[in-house]
Amino acid sequence: MMSFSFQLLLHTIFSLIFFLISASSSQHSNQFCEAGIGYGESTCGTAIPSSSSSSSKLLIKGGTVVNAHHQHLADVYVENGIIVTVQPNIMVEDDVYVIDATGKFVMPGGIDPHAHLAMDAVDIVTVDDFFSGQAAALAGGTTMHIDFVIPVNGNLTAGLEAYENKAKKSCMDYGFHMAVTKWDESVSRDMEIMVKEKGINSFKFFMTYKGFFMVNDELLLQGFKKCKSLGALAMVHAENGDAVDAGQQKMIELGITGPEGHPLSRPAALEGEATSRAIRLADFVNTPLYVVHVMSIDAMEEIAKARKSGQRVIGEPIASGLALDDSWLWHPDFVTAAKYLMSPPIRSKGHDKALQAALATGVLQLVGTDHCAWNSTQKTRGIDDFRKIPNGVNGIEERMHLVWDIMVESGQISVTDYVRLTSTECARIFNIYPRKGAILPGSDADIIILNPNSSFEISAKSHHSRSDTNVYEGRKGKGKIEVTISRGRVVWENNELKVTPGTGKYIEMPPYSYLFDGLDKKDAIYLNSLQAPVKRAKSTT
């Protein structure tokens, strides 16, 4: 029989081993979260520390509260995920979690209007799903994103069901756009269901990717008409798909098979042409148009011209177009060059500055990312043919910092403009303002605290995406988001991310945003101007 002292010794040894294993596991789990490697529900699905989560009440004290058109010193009091009061010197009870924001900006959380999480591309899937991608977003100050549902064999309902399943692990709020890749009566009926029952108020049409997603002008017109009848916003990826296809063939014939063949095969002129064509067709139908990922001067100038004439066109540049140029695509190392490949391509020097100026002057209205992350192994599938390289770059975590550094620190825009471009205008366009995009009583408590005197550095070693590369590698700048609050939960603080799979909510977006105001009057004016049909006597001969 084992002696008591020996039992005690064994118990002590086993306890010590268990403690060491637990400590190692805990440390490994934290490293997973911080490095963005292998997110899983059992690794990063930790609860918010009890100091910030035990109470449903939160007070942010002493900061400068910034909305799209006004900023002032005030406290922000939150209960049960909703902003209750915004005013100076709020007094609270002891059970309230308090954050000191003195000397810092308190702003609405960012809304990314353009991302692709868990997206299938033939036989591969993007490395960031609805958990890892959203976790990265929260670490970068974005508290909501809108993803694109890709139909299954053209079927919208099947596509939505697939994405609803993908989004079950979400850790922040999200909405959906819907892509339309073919046209028949079932698609038309499904569009009505999406708008009237599923909370989707925007539909995207690809003018490129011939043989996959591309639609012709006939389908584009049908889709635009249907969008107008439903009060839904028509969106386009504007590149001339037929010309791009011819350009790709030309590059291959010339023996240009590397990543540099990508921008050479789809120059800015093809983006400009498609943008112009989409704008004119939208004007013909008299429906608002949203041009996604505007990457070139050519496309931007078409948008500027249309807006000057009074047409309702929204232009969305993305972080990579504002921050990068295409020189990386000529890098001698394939892995380095391939990570910058996306469509439309990142353009040559000069386009970035022009897009920044257009954003600063109101020609372009908001900033997205087109976050579509692939790892270096996935990119190498096109090592002998640039046409096979998966298209996409990261950005969902970096957008808020990049826009602050590029646009605010340079003096191109104000702090209130920053809020408008990264949050409020997106909420208005997709008809969820002021629930989102504002620090106002009654708004969701999606809040960030930005320290303008702190700095940031971007690296694949520290980002929270699953990707092993980062197109902004090594970039440094001023203005760091130190706290992110998602519906009243502190999810990013002290450089620590605390998120739980399944806590995100689907946000339904109703039709008929402000972009549709007065369109019926314009239709009536058009009809009255026709002076037709003309009454003519029938010929008697």
Side-chain angles (χ1 to χ4, degrees):
M1 186 172 178
M2 197 179 297
S3 69
F4 175 78
S5 59
F6 186 67
Q7 287 178 348
L8 181 62
L9 177 63
L10 282 178
H11 176 76
T12 303
I13 292 170
F14 284 133
S15 296
L16 180 60
I17 292 171
F18 178 78
F19 172 79
L20 291 172
I21 292 172
S22 299
S24 174
S25 175
S26 174
Q27 185 181 24
H28 182 63
S29 175
N30 287 338
Q31 288 173 346
F32 258 24
C33 293
E34 291 168 8
I37 302 169
Y39 271 95
E41 295 185 16
S42 62
T43 56
C44 273
T46 51
I48 303 162
S50 59
S51 60
S52 63
S53 65
S54 59
S55 172
S56 62
K57 301 174 183 178
L58 174 69
L59 179 67
I60 304 169
K61 286 193 66 68
T64 299
V65 175
V66 187
N67 280 302
H69 303 292
H70 179 66
Q71 66 181 75
H72 64 294
L73 285 170
D75 299 343
V76 180
Y77 179 60
V78 173
E79 278 190 13
N80 299 317
I82 303 296
I83 297 171
V84 177
T85 310
V86 182
Q87 66 183 48
N89 303 315
I90 298 174
M91 304 301 292
V92 294
E93 303 292 335
D94 292 339
D95 62 340
V96 177
Y97 184 67
V98 180
I99 299 176
D100 184 4
T102 303
K104 302 170 186 178
F105 293 113
V106 180
M107 306 172 173
I111 306 174
D112 187 344
H114 190 153
H116 299 277
L117 302 181
M119 191 185 83
D120 299 277
V122 188
D123 59 342
I124 56 173
V125 183
T126 54
V127 293
D128 281 328
D129 59 19
F130 275 77
F131 180 63
S132 68
Q134 290 185 354
L138 290 169
T142 288
T143 53
M144 178 179 171
H145 89 285
I146 311 177
D147 213 284
F148 287 87
V149 172
I150 307 299
V152 175
N153 297 321
N155 187 290
L156 275 57
T157 298
L160 179 60
E161 289 172 354
Y163 271 77
E164 286 174 333
N165 188 56
K166 293 176 182 182
K168 286 180 179 178
K169 61 176 67 174
S170 65
C171 58
M172 75 177 191
D173 291 357
Y174 62 96
F176 285 139
H177 309 293
M178 174 69 73
V180 176
T181 57
K182 72 171 189 178
W183 190 261
D184 56 29
E185 279 305 309
S186 67
V187 172
S188 179
R189 288 194 301 270
D190 277 356
M191 286 178 70
E192 290 192 32
I193 294 170
M194 295 302 134
V195 173
K196 296 177 180 178
E197 300 177 19
K198 303 299 184 180
I200 293 173
N201 68 0
S202 51
F203 295 90
K204 181 181 180 181
F205 303 87
F206 291 90
M207 301 174 74
T208 191
Y209 301 129
K210 188 173 182 178
F212 295 96
F213 299 146
M214 178 179 161
V215 300
N216 59 24
D217 287 357
E218 181 184 5
L219 193 157
L220 208 55
L221 280 168
Q222 294 278 16
F224 283 4
K225 290 175 184 177
K226 191 66 178 182
C227 283
K228 180 182 179 180
S229 72
L230 295 171
L233 184 57
M235 313 174 82
V236 289
H237 173 146
E239 289 182 284
N240 187 310
D242 289 319
V244 167
D245 186 62
Q248 290 177 331
Q249 293 294 335
K250 181 179 179 180
M251 292 304 114
I252 297 298
E253 289 169 5
L254 291 172
I256 302 171
T257 60
E260 68 278 8
H262 183 72
L264 291 172
S265 68
R266 51 207 313 149
L270 302 188
E271 185 186 353
E273 184 280 330
T275 302
S276 173
R277 179 158 40 97
I279 286 171
R280 281 160 172 74
L281 293 178
D283 188 44
F284 178 69
V285 175
N286 187 29
T287 197
L289 181 69
Y290 185 113
V291 184
V292 304
H293 47 42
V294 177
M295 298 295 286
S296 67
I297 294 171
D298 305 56
M300 178 270 292
E301 288 181 340
E302 295 295 338
I303 294 167
K305 186 164 54 177
R307 288 179 61 85
K308 190 174 181 180
S309 72
Q311 192 175 344
R312 296 175 188 186
V313 180
I314 299 295
E316 170 210 272
I318 58 174
S320 58
L322 299 172
L324 302 170
D325 64 68
D326 71 350
S327 59
W328 289 100
L329 288 159
W330 272 261
H331 196 281
D333 175 62
F334 174 85
V335 171
T336 300
K339 74 178 179 179
Y340 291 91
L341 192 145
M342 62 168 293
S343 297
I346 298 166
R347 303 296 183 186
S348 57
K349 286 184 183 295
H351 288 273
D352 52 347
K353 297 297 183 183
L355 293 175
Q356 292 171 26
L359 196 59
T361 55
V363 172
L364 303 175
Q365 289 69 50
L366 74 170
V367 182
T369 62
D370 194 11
H371 181 91
C372 189
W374 310 96
N375 63 30
S376 56
T377 301
Q378 290 172 317
K379 289 275 190 175
T380 57
R381 68 191 290 127
I383 196 165
D384 297 317
D385 186 343
F386 68 85
R387 296 172 299 179
K388 297 178 182 178
I389 300 172
N391 280 215
V393 301
N394 63 286
I396 201 168
E397 181 171 0
E398 296 81 11
R399 176 185 70 123
M400 298 292 282
H401 286 112
L402 289 169
V403 175
W404 180 273
D405 189 55
I406 292 169
M407 301 300 296
V408 181
E409 283 296 320
S410 66
Q412 294 188 77
I413 64 171
S414 67
V415 179
T416 53
D417 287 335
Y418 174 80
V419 169
R420 175 174 54 82
L421 296 171
T422 60
S423 182
T424 306
E425 191 57 28
C426 183
R428 292 184 68 235
I429 289 168
F430 296 103
N431 217 11
I432 51 174
Y433 180 86
R435 177 181 179 182
K436 302 290 186 182
I439 305 290
L440 295 171
S443 298
D444 285 355
D446 293 342
I447 302 169
I448 59 172
I449 300 175
L450 185 147
N451 186 344
N453 298 314
S454 189
S455 59
F456 67 86
E457 182 174 357
I458 298 171
S459 174
K461 294 179 180 178
S462 58
H463 71 198
H464 296 79
S465 165
R466 282 179 177 154
S467 176
D468 59 351
T469 65
N470 193 307
V471 293
Y472 310 103
E473 185 68 41
R475 187 174 185 121
K476 300 177 182 179
K478 284 196 68 177
K480 180 173 172 55
I481 292 154
E482 296 183 338
V483 178
T484 304
I485 299 162
S486 174
R487 276 188 291 105
R489 297 174 296 117
V490 180
V491 293
W492 172 254
E493 189 178 26
N494 299 321
N495 290 320
E496 188 174 7
L497 183 62
K498 296 293 181 181
V499 288
T500 306
T503 54
K505 285 188 177 181
Y506 174 62
I507 305 300
E508 293 191 5
M509 299 180 291
Y512 293 104
S513 74
Y514 79 94
L515 293 168
F516 287 84
D517 292 348
L519 279 188
D520 54 342
K521 294 179 181 178
K522 187 175 178 182
D523 281 336
I525 291 170
Y526 165 74
L527 291 173
N528 290 333
S529 72
L530 295 179
Q531 299 181 10
V534 175
K535 293 182 179 180
R536 294 180 176 88
K538 291 183 179 180
S539 173
T540 57
T541 60

